[in-house]
Structures are given as structure tokens and as C-alpha cells.
Amino acid sequence: MRYILFFLLTVTLLQAEYLRTIRIGSYPDEDSAKQALQKIKEFAQNNPTISQLQNEWDFEFKERKSGKYYITLAEPFRDRVVLQTVLDNLRLEYPDIYVTRLKSYPPFKKKSQQVKSEKKEASFVATADITEPVKVKNSEVLVEKDDSLKNTEDIKASNQDTRERKSVKPVTISEKTASTIEFSNSLLLSLAIIFLLSIAFLIYRMQRYKKRYEKSQLQVMMYQEQLEQAEQKLKNKDKVFSHTSHELRNPMGAIIGLSHLLLEESMSQKQKDYVKKIEGAAKYLLEIINDILDISKMEAGALKIEQKEFNLNHVVRHVVNIVSVAARENGTHVELDIDNNVPPYIVGDSLRLTQVLVNLLSNAVKFTKNGMVILSIRKTTQNGNMLTLEFMVRDNGIGMTPSQLKNIFNSFVQASDSTAREYGGTGLGLSIVKYLVDIMKGDIHVESKKHHGTTFVLHLKFNTFREKEKRFYRLPSREYLDRRILIVDKSQSNIEKLNKAFSYFNYVVHNIPSFHDTVLDPNIHFDIVVVNKALVDEHLLTIIKKMKKEHKTKFILFSDSVYELDKELLEQLDIDEHLSRPFTQEDILELLKKICTVGKITNIEVPEEKNEEKEKLIALGKRRILIAEDNRLNHKVLEGILGDTDFELVFVEDGQEALDMIKSDKKAYDLILLDINMPKLNGYETAMEIRKIKEYKDVPILALTADVMQDAVNKCYEAGMQGHIAKPIIIKNFYEKLFTMLSKEKVIVIEKKEKPKKVSKQKFQEISISSGLEYAHHDEKLYRSLLSDFEKMYKNSAMELAELVRKNKFEEARKKALDIKETALHIGAYKLYENVAAMQYEFEKAQRANSLEMLRYYKDSLQALLKEIKRYLN
């Protein structure tokens, strides 16, 4: 039925009159339009086709006002063929013309009507030259006055002719009336049909809308149920993370704590190196666990980047240590190539940099067997204290195809299924690298060729607060100057690296492939000889003894790792120091410092580093600490960590025992450490009960737990504790926290229902003042400073971003948007944050039109935000 209705409606609509107009040009003023119209008319007159059609179909060329402009056009056209013919001829001179629909005839008399009127007049004049009214039976008729009619008979004949003409006229009027009535009836019938069709169509549409509404309501109910399920899953996820955190951290605490204790024992260089790597890897794993468990930070984009000074050489050495075992198993050599103009001390986030480099080098080592992996570091630019470093990781492994490179930074993606089976892994490493590089405001790209290796290049910005120096690595005294070095090695790569490292100190460097093939000049005395371990033989032993006896030459044994050397070999070689590959310039400096003071290497003992934090605790003297911990292994760890102090440690295994001990023990405790998850009475309940005891209102209480979720930390303060120590224990942080608590004369207990600081009562639509103050740790002065800085930095950002988009610099625009988004989040500008997030998405797709559209919304949002910031600051 509905198809029949649609068919009838379509037929009715098609019967509507066809009216079109051709728009030729647009002009700013009327004079220009008239001049253009004159040229158009001249062109039309000179074109025989247009002139002929214009005479036949009554269309005109004209000009009129349209909005702010004046337009030239040709209209009306009632025939499609005529329209197309005129259009084709006009386009020979005016190619940009176009056709629009004309709703009704233009407000002028149609030429066809004028012509018909003229024809009627002409026919009438042919019958009579002069007309005058004559009454016949009360009817007015027109009678021809002819000078030739002189007699009555002629007049009668004329009157008879008039009567005959009169008798015909009513018939003509009757036909016209019938035609009009017939047309009116047809029109009314058409209108009635259209009306009925409209009603039927409306009923049909209402039925469809009703079905759609019912369907949408059902979907809303389903989505609401799914949303509730998702919210419940999120709550369950937080609980799982909390328990997972606790379960992972407990064994990690034992590993780190016992490693620390083991390092304090007497052992060989090789053993200490093993234990240090165990401890370093465990700490690194702990840092990764911290970020993975705090997944809400990543989801909210709130993963913070620290700005602290660190030694780049230490980071590089730590990264190499982590990947060294896997490299040795694959038969892969890891090399370093660090420019000497790269400052060793820079300001940034050492943990994030470590994560990035470990992921990149681990990948390179994993996919390179019996090959080479090189980490290069260059300084590309420096502007004042701000510098940009380029990190390049190259390998000659299996490489990738162009199609594999497209998805290289996607999560859970590996080059192929066979790669995943052979090499393992989750496919998360490079996606984490991309995420970290982005939040560090850097960039990364990759180049690769199948079976020819892969190269990752990333650029990161750092600060340096130290004065700019010509030389970053300086010898401690003049006695180290003017040395002559001999390098004995067959590898050209090793020779180049050693030559570069020693030449940095202006030493004179010689090199030979071996002592067998070379005769040394007896007049040249070498202060230091570096020998590759692969060249060790009886002849070398003889030469070493001779040179040591005659010139007191220092010998350095060069090899891939200290693990390759054993005690017997060290005894026979009588070497002074060992250098392992890869090495940094700082390693060479430390080597030169030791070589003048350390004698023959046998079973090298590494001097203990002085622990300043522990010395501070020892200086506090005798203190009593109550520790409530249900894991006895942690008892041993804590005893070992605090063993050298004069502290008396009292251990209990649950909260109830801790309360009983406090009530029964006559001696007061100076500090209480409470695990949170304990049987009988948990840490929160225990702390609240302790605060009820008058003598313990001011005694510091610290949470000692593996639960590091933010809710758990907040509960600690609400329960009356003064701090939170996460497991596994980071020794340095643990010592610092204990010293802070024990050196205070009186602690401040935060009440659970502490009144929050009053914020501005003004109403703001674009900014959340309370959220911004929370990010600023309720420091209103700091928050005002952040708002002021935001206003100065980003007030012209809309124009700057628009300029970048017009120049197709979408990557720069994306990075700038990332900065604005992060800052907006910190000041509580959530609306602007959402606008920038949408705009950033368009930048990533490099869609110019969409990006400019989003920029208009961003500009409006930014202006509104800046007004509210100004109002708040004033």
C-alpha cells in the first residue's frame, strides 16, 4: 500500500511546472553587474543559437541584488533541452555558470502574453478602425463606423451583422467558463489527492518513528545495564589490582632486601656484580609494577613525568646490564657510541628514559642472533639550558617489511604469528615506548628492511642546570697528564673506540695487532698497555713482566665481560685493571683514576659506598620501634636493614598483638610500623585504636604495606598515620622516612574529618577551581601562578594552531595540542581538555577541513576559559 501511495505522490509532483534559472556571475556593486550584463547580452545576440531560442522561449538576461552582492542571470527556462543548449553555449564564454531552481515566474510580464495581446489587438483593428458603444436590448456592443454606410439599408445590414456577431458571443463565453470550471475541478482533485497522500505519508512516518522510538528505548535499557556491568567490573578491577599489588610486592621485597644485605657481605668482584644486577633488575621490575598497577593514571592521562637531575652514563650502564644476559645467550654484541659533547648530567625522568631504552634494546637483542646492536647518543640542538638528544638503536637482525612497519607501535601486535611463536613476547613493548615518548614530548620513528636490520630513532628534550663546560670529563690532577697508551687488539672496531676514549684526554695512543708481529721501539716507553683477552699467551706474560719491571707499565685487560676472567688467569697475568665492553667515557675516566692507586688485581673487593641516610639513623642513637608484620621473612629483611643501628626492634604478627604489647610494655615506643593486611585487626583499625591511648597521640605511625593504590594511601592518613612506606622497601627511601619521623619532636595527626580549604564561591562554567587546587596540593598561590602562566602561554594558541594546520604541519600541531591538553587537565579546565582531545584526534588523521572546524570550537572554548581565569585572578 505504501509503495502505491509513494508512486501517486511522485506522479503528482512530476506534473509540476519545470522552471530553472542560469546564474552567470556575482559582483560587489550594481554598476559592475550592469556592465557585465551588457557584455552578456552582446554575446547572446552574436550567438545565433541563443538568439533563436530566446525569441522562441521568452527567456531574458538580467541583473538583480542577492544578499550583499549583485548577480547576472538568464531566466525563466521551462524546457530541459533548451536549458542545456543555452547552458552549453554560454559556457564557451562563461565556464563557471550554474543552474538553480526557479520557484515561480519572475515579476515581469511574459513576452508570450504580450505577443498574444498584440495579436488580438491586431485582429480586432482589422475588423474595425474605430469602435464606439451601441445599445442593443440593454446590451452594449461594438459597432463599426464606416463612412461608406450612407443609407438606412446599409445601416440595417450593419445592425443585422451586429446581431449575428452578438448571437455568437455567448457560446464563446460558455466554452471558456466550462474550461475554467474543468481546470478548477482538476486542481481541486489534485489538491485533495495531495492532501490525502500527505495524511497517509504522515501516518506511515509516525508508525516508523514509533517503532524506532520503541527500539531506541530498548537499546537505552540495554546500554544502561551494560554500563552498570562495566562500572561493577571497574570496581572489581581495582580490587584485583590491589590484591595483585600486595601479592607481587611481598616476594619483591624479599629479593631487594636480601640483595642489599648480601652486598654488605665480603665477596669477589664477580659475585658482587651478579648481586648488583639482581638488585638492579628487581628495582627496575618494581618500578614497572608501580606503573602497571596504577593503571588509572594511564587511562586518565595523568602519568607524571619527573624532572630530576641524573647521570646519563648510569642510565646507559643500567640498561646494558639488563640486556647483557640475553645478548650473551644470542651471541650478540652490544656497543655504545656516545658523543663527547653530550653532557653526563641532565634533568628529566630517568625511569621513563630507562623504560624506553630497555624496550628498544631488548627488542633489538631478541631479533638479532650472532650480530651487533649499537646504542648511539648525539646532541642535536641546544638553546640555553634546553637541549635535544637523539637516541639511535641499530641492529642487523631479521628486519621488517613495510607492511609490518605500519602497525609497529600498536598494542599486542607483532610482525607475524611465526615471530610471536619463535621469539615470544606480548607485543606491548613498542606501544609503551610510543606512549612514554609522547608524554615526554618527544618523537620516534623507525626504519627497517627485511633481513637487513632495524633502526629506531627518537628525539627527547632535557634541561641541564650545570654551567656549560668545554670538557665534561676532567682528570683529577696533573699527574694523570702526558700519558702514552698502547692498544694491542686485532679488531679495528675495538681500536677505534679505545683510541677515541683515550685521545679525549690528549693522550698519545699507539696500536698494534699483537706482540708477535710487531717490534716495538725500545726508546718509546708506554705508561698504559691495553690488551685484548683473546691475545693472552705465554709470550704476552713475558712481555708484561718485562715492561712492568723496566718501566712500571700499567696493564689493562680488555674483554667482553669480567665473567670471562678467573682468579688463576688474573694471578698469572699480573694485570692492574680490567675494562669490559661496552664502556662509556666516564668508565675510562674512573679507570684512569683507579689505575694510579690500585695495585695488582687478584680478588678485587669493591670499596663499600658510604650510606649517608644510614649514618644519619645511626647518629640518632637508641630508639624503640614496634613492627606489626605477619610475614616472618620480612622480619629478617628489616632486621638486616636496621642491624647496624642502635634501634631496638620489637616484632608482632597482627594488630591485636601490637595493641596488647603497647598496653603491657612499660617502655614507650618511638615509632610504630604497621602492615595493613593483617589477621584479627588490620592496620587501619590498629592505628585508630592506638590513637585512643593518651600516651601515643603524638607517636609517629607509618604504614608498611604492599598495597599502593591511592585509596589505601588516603585511608592511612585518615586512620591517623603520618606516612606510607611501600613494599618492597627501597632502602634509601626507607632510611629517609625513618629519619624524618624519628627526628621530629612532635607529629601532626590528620583528623579524618578535616575541613577542606575554602575555595572561591564564584560560579565558573569552564573551569573547576576545586580540581585545580587539588592538583596544586591546595596551594592557592601556586594555583594562581599556574593560571597566570596558562593565560600567557596559550592565549594565542588558536591562531598558532590554525597556522600550523594551513601549512599541513599536523605533527607539530598535535604536539602543541598535547601540551595544552595536559596543562588544561592540571588547572581543572575539563571542557577545554575535551575540545583539545577531539582536535588532537583530527590532527593525528591530518584532516585539514575537520581540523579547522575543531579549531573554531577550541577558540570559543579558550576565550570563555580565559575570561573566567581573569575573573578568578582578579
Side-chain angles (χ1 to χ4, degrees):
M1 179 64 185
R2 61 189 183 193
Y3 298 109
I4 297 173
L5 292 176
F6 282 135
F7 174 76
L8 291 174
L9 180 61
T10 304
V11 170
T12 304
L13 293 175
L14 288 174
Q15 291 176 349
E17 189 171 9
Y18 180 86
L19 288 175
R20 296 292 186 271
T21 181
I22 297 176
R23 296 204 177 186
I24 303 172
S26 176
Y27 304 90
D29 53 71
E30 188 176 5
D31 292 336
S32 301
K34 287 181 177 179
Q35 293 175 9
L37 178 62
Q38 186 62 33
K39 293 181 180 179
I40 295 170
K41 288 182 176 179
E42 291 175 2
F43 173 80
Q45 290 173 0
N46 295 330
N47 189 306
T49 304
I50 296 178
S51 298
Q52 181 181 351
L53 291 174
Q54 189 175 13
N55 292 329
E56 293 176 0
W57 291 92
D58 305 332
F59 60 88
E60 289 186 358
F61 295 95
K62 60 172 71 174
E63 58 86 24
R64 65 177 171 83
K65 190 173 183 180
S66 177
K68 295 182 180 180
Y69 302 93
Y70 289 82
I71 60 174
T72 54
L73 55 144
E75 63 181 17
F77 292 92
R78 303 184 303 280
D79 186 89
R80 288 182 174 84
V81 178
V82 174
L83 173 70
Q84 188 62 48
T85 306
V86 175
L87 191 66
D88 293 339
N89 280 272
L90 285 174
R91 277 180 174 161
L92 297 173
E93 183 69 18
Y94 303 96
D96 296 327
I97 63 177
Y98 63 96
V99 177
T100 60
R101 176 176 289 180
L102 191 62
K103 295 182 180 179
S104 62
Y105 276 102
F108 58 80
K109 188 176 182 180
K110 289 188 274 187
K111 190 175 181 181
S112 60
Q113 294 174 343
Q114 195 172 1
V115 171
K116 289 177 183 177
S117 177
E118 290 173 358
K119 287 181 179 179
K120 288 179 181 178
E121 286 183 19
S123 63
F124 194 77
V125 171
T127 308
D129 293 327
I130 302 172
T131 61
E132 63 181 7
V134 177
K135 291 184 178 180
V136 180
K137 293 181 181 181
N138 297 328
S139 298
E140 189 176 43
V141 297
L142 296 176
V143 181
E144 180 183 6
K145 185 176 180 181
D146 194 343
D147 292 338
S148 63
L149 297 178
K150 301 293 183 180
N151 50 41
T152 305
E153 294 169 353
D154 294 332
I155 293 172
K156 288 180 179 180
S158 175
N159 289 337
Q160 181 66 26
D161 183 58
T162 302
R163 283 195 295 271
E164 290 175 358
R165 287 166 57 194
K166 233 177 95 183
S167 63
V168 176
K169 188 173 182 181
V171 176
T172 307
I173 293 170
S174 175
E175 288 176 357
K176 288 183 177 179
T177 303
S179 176
T180 304
I181 292 170
E182 184 179 354
F183 174 75
S184 300
N185 290 337
S186 299
L187 181 63
L188 288 173
L189 180 61
S190 299
L191 291 174
I193 292 173
I194 292 173
F195 177 74
L196 291 174
L197 288 174
S198 301
I199 296 297
F201 182 70
L202 287 174
I203 293 172
Y204 167 71
R205 295 299 294 176
M206 288 176 66
Q207 289 292 333
R208 288 197 63 184
Y209 285 138
K210 182 180 178 182
K211 290 181 179 179
R212 287 182 182 176
Y213 175 75
E214 292 174 351
K215 186 177 179 180
S216 64
Q217 286 295 103
L218 181 61
Q219 288 178 338
V220 168
M221 293 175 62
M222 292 172 59
Y223 290 152
Q224 187 67 31
E225 184 178 354
Q226 291 174 359
L227 180 62
E228 291 174 358
Q229 292 176 355
E231 289 175 349
Q232 186 60 42
K233 286 181 180 179
L234 284 174
K235 291 179 182 178
N236 294 337
K237 181 198 72 173
D238 290 339
K239 291 181 181 178
V240 170
F241 279 159
S242 178
H243 290 302
T244 304
S245 170
H246 189 272
E247 295 302 320
L248 285 174
R249 287 170 173 277
N250 277 328
M252 288 297 296
I255 294 170
I256 293 176
L258 295 175
S259 297
H260 176 78
L261 297 178
L262 192 58
L263 284 172
E264 294 182 350
E265 300 295 329
S266 177
M267 63 180 73
S268 67
Q269 168 72 16
K270 182 177 180 180
Q271 292 168 332
K272 277 193 180 291
D273 196 53
Y274 276 135
V275 177
K276 278 187 175 181
K277 287 185 177 180
I278 291 172
E279 185 185 40
K283 287 180 179 178
Y284 174 70
L285 180 59
L286 173 63
E287 291 165 347
I288 303 304
I289 290 172
N290 287 340
D291 289 333
I292 293 175
L293 292 177
D294 199 5
I295 195 72
S296 58
K297 285 185 180 180
M298 288 189 179
E299 291 175 349
L303 193 64
K304 294 181 180 179
I305 297 297
E306 291 187 348
Q307 294 295 324
K308 290 184 179 179
E309 188 177 59
F310 65 92
N311 190 320
L312 181 60
N313 292 294
H314 294 174
V315 169
V316 171
R317 192 178 299 117
H318 181 49
V319 170
V320 171
N321 285 340
I322 290 174
V323 302
S324 61
V325 176
R328 191 158 49 256
E329 289 175 353
N330 271 7
T332 302
H333 294 287
V334 179
E335 294 292 347
L336 299 175
D337 184 13
I338 305 174
D339 272 3
N340 290 330
N341 65 347
V342 175
Y345 289 94
I346 55 178
V347 178
D349 196 322
S350 60
L351 172 61
R352 307 305 170 201
L353 178 60
T354 302
Q355 284 180 262
V356 170
L357 294 180
V358 166
N359 272 297
L360 293 179
L361 263 76
S362 296
N363 258 17
V365 168
K366 181 166 65 174
F367 297 113
T368 305
K369 291 188 177 181
N370 301 316
M372 182 81 70
V373 174
I374 302 174
L375 169 61
S376 303
I377 305 177
R378 304 276 183 273
K379 182 175 74 173
T380 57
T381 60
Q382 182 166 0
N383 185 11
N385 290 333
M386 178 67 72
L387 56 91
T388 302
L389 297 183
E390 179 188 83
F391 298 83
M392 182 184 295
V393 178
R394 292 173 291 168
D395 67 68
N396 55 358
I398 62 174
M400 289 176 284
T401 63
S403 60
Q404 292 168 346
L405 284 175
K406 292 180 181 178
N407 302 317
I408 192 66
F409 292 114
N410 293 346
S411 299
F412 304 105
V413 172
Q414 289 196 337
S416 64
D417 293 337
S418 60
T419 301
R421 287 192 299 269
E422 182 178 355
Y423 296 97
T426 62
L428 277 172
L430 291 178
S431 64
I432 293 173
V433 167
K434 184 68 168 65
Y435 176 80
L436 292 175
V437 170
D438 283 344
I439 64 173
M440 292 170 75
K441 301 176 184 177
D443 61 80
I444 182 170
H445 68 272
V446 57
E447 297 174 1
S448 185
K449 189 175 181 182
K450 193 68 174 176
H451 306 303
H452 288 80
T454 304
T455 300
F456 284 90
V457 180
L458 63 142
H459 296 91
L460 297 173
K461 293 182 179 179
F462 299 94
N463 284 319
T464 174
F465 293 153
R466 303 199 178 196
E467 294 182 3
K468 192 174 180 181
E469 300 178 3
K470 292 182 180 179
R471 300 179 70 82
F472 295 115
Y473 306 99
R474 293 183 176 274
L475 295 169
S477 65
R478 291 184 175 276
E479 66 181 74
Y480 291 86
L481 300 175
D482 302 324
R483 299 296 174 103
R484 190 181 293 273
I485 311 294
L486 176 63
I487 300 172
V488 185
D489 201 322
K490 292 183 178 181
S491 169
Q492 190 61 34
S493 174
N494 290 341
I495 291 172
E496 289 176 0
K497 287 180 171 55
L498 291 168
N499 197 343
K500 177 183 175 183
F502 286 107
S503 297
Y504 177 85
F505 301 105
N506 295 322
Y507 287 171
V508 179
V509 181
H510 302 261
N511 61 272
I512 59 174
S514 71
F515 286 108
H516 291 282
D517 305 326
T518 307
V519 178
L520 298 175
D521 188 342
N523 297 321
I524 298 178
H525 306 303
F526 296 101
D527 300 288
I528 300 172
V529 177
V530 182
V531 182
N532 192 310
K533 180 235 175 187
L535 302 176
V536 174
D537 56 14
E538 293 294 332
H539 183 60
L540 176 63
L541 296 175
T542 305
I543 292 175
I544 290 175
K545 290 178 181 178
K546 181 180 178 182
M547 295 180 74
K548 276 182 167 292
K549 183 178 180 180
E550 294 178 355
H551 308 295
K552 296 184 179 179
T553 303
K554 301 290 184 179
F555 274 83
I556 299 173
L557 194 63
F558 177 67
S559 66
D560 287 339
S561 174
V562 71
Y563 308 145
E564 298 180 3
L565 305 178
D566 54 31
K567 187 175 180 180
E568 293 181 3
L569 181 61
L570 291 173
E571 284 287 353
Q572 292 178 18
L573 288 177
D574 191 20
I575 64 173
D576 297 279
E577 269 300 335
H578 176 268
L579 178 64
S580 61
R581 189 178 65 177
F583 55 83
T584 64
Q585 191 64 47
E586 188 177 74
D587 293 332
I588 298 297
L589 177 61
E590 295 301 319
L591 181 72
L592 293 173
K593 288 179 181 178
K594 289 192 294 183
I595 205 168
C596 296
T597 56
V598 178
K600 174 183 172 182
I601 296 180
T602 54
N603 191 16
I604 302 173
E605 295 291 341
V606 177
E608 293 184 5
E609 296 180 3
K610 193 173 182 180
N611 194 320
E612 294 181 1
E613 290 76 18
K614 190 172 185 178
E615 294 295 327
K616 290 179 181 178
L617 286 179
I618 294 173
L620 290 175
K622 292 184 178 181
R623 299 296 171 98
R624 296 191 80 214
I625 301 177
L626 176 63
I627 303 172
E629 168 63 67
D630 60 340
N631 190 324
R632 293 192 177 184
L633 181 60
N634 288 335
H635 293 184
K636 291 185 178 181
V637 172
L638 290 168
E639 281 179 347
I641 292 173
L642 299 173
D644 294 338
T645 63
D646 289 334
F647 297 168
E648 180 185 346
L649 306 180
V650 178
F651 290 95
V652 294
E653 296 187 3
D654 62 62
Q656 188 59 53
E657 285 186 27
L659 282 174
D660 295 340
M661 186 67 70
I662 289 171
K663 293 175 181 178
S664 62
D665 201 335
K666 295 181 180 180
K667 291 183 180 180
Y669 293 99
D670 301 292
L671 176 66
I672 301 172
L673 302 180
L674 297 177
D675 186 15
I676 297 299
N677 298 304
M678 294 185 294
K680 296 183 181 179
L681 208 62
N682 64 37
Y684 307 126
E685 296 168 340
T686 305
M688 288 188 284
E689 291 298 322
I690 291 173
R691 290 302 176 208
K692 294 178 182 178
I693 302 172
K694 184 178 179 180
E695 294 80 9
Y696 283 87
K697 283 187 176 181
D698 298 332
V699 174
I701 304 175
L702 295 177
L704 184 64
T705 177
D707 193 348
V708 294
M709 303 301 286
Q710 189 59 44
D711 289 342
V713 176
N714 294 337
K715 284 182 181 179
C716 292
Y717 288 104
E718 291 174 359
M721 302 186 199
Q722 285 67 54
H724 177 279
I725 299 175
K727 295 179 187 175
I729 296 170
I730 303 300
I731 308 300
K732 183 180 179 181
N733 298 344
F734 180 69
Y735 286 155
E736 288 177 349
K737 198 76 173 180
L738 260 60
F739 178 78
T740 302
M741 291 294 108
L742 292 172
S743 59
K744 287 183 179 179
E745 294 183 1
K746 187 176 181 180
V747 299
I748 299 173
V749 179
I750 300 175
E751 297 294 337
K752 185 175 182 179
K753 296 182 180 180
E754 183 185 14
K755 293 183 179 180
K757 187 176 180 178
K758 292 183 179 180
V759 299
S760 174
K761 292 184 179 180
Q762 299 181 70
K763 292 185 178 180
F764 297 92
Q765 300 295 326
E766 302 294 327
I767 188 170
S768 171
I769 303 299
S770 58
S771 298
L773 284 170
E774 186 175 349
Y775 272 105
H777 303 289
H778 298 284
D779 186 344
E780 189 170 5
K781 185 177 179 181
L782 173 61
Y783 182 57
R784 285 178 172 273
S785 175
L786 291 173
L787 292 178
S788 179
D789 290 343
F790 180 89
E791 184 181 19
K792 293 175 184 176
M793 292 170 64
Y794 300 117
K795 62 182 179 181
N796 298 322
S797 58
M799 291 187 295
E800 294 168 358
L801 287 169
E803 186 66 19
L804 290 173
V805 170
R806 291 189 188 99
K807 293 180 179 179
N808 292 328
K809 296 181 178 179
F810 290 101
E811 183 61 23
E812 292 183 30
R814 185 189 70 81
K815 290 179 182 177
K816 190 172 185 65
L818 195 66
D819 292 345
I820 299 171
K821 185 175 73 170
E822 184 179 349
T823 310
L825 183 66
H826 289 163
I827 64 173
Y830 293 116
K831 286 188 178 180
L832 187 73
Y833 175 88
E834 292 175 1
N835 284 331
V836 178
M839 183 171 63
Q840 181 188 345
Y841 178 70
E842 297 300 334
F843 291 163
E844 289 175 353
K845 294 192 296 182
Q847 295 287 341
R848 186 174 182 179
N850 294 346
S851 297
L852 291 173
E853 182 68 19
M854 295 307 301
L855 270 167
R856 282 193 281 273
Y857 292 114
Y858 167 73
K859 183 179 179 181
D860 295 340
S861 180
L862 178 65
Q863 293 301 323
L865 173 64
L866 292 176
K867 287 180 181 178
E868 290 193 355
I869 289 176
K870 192 173 183 179
R871 182 156 59 93
Y872 177 79
L873 294 176
N874 295 333

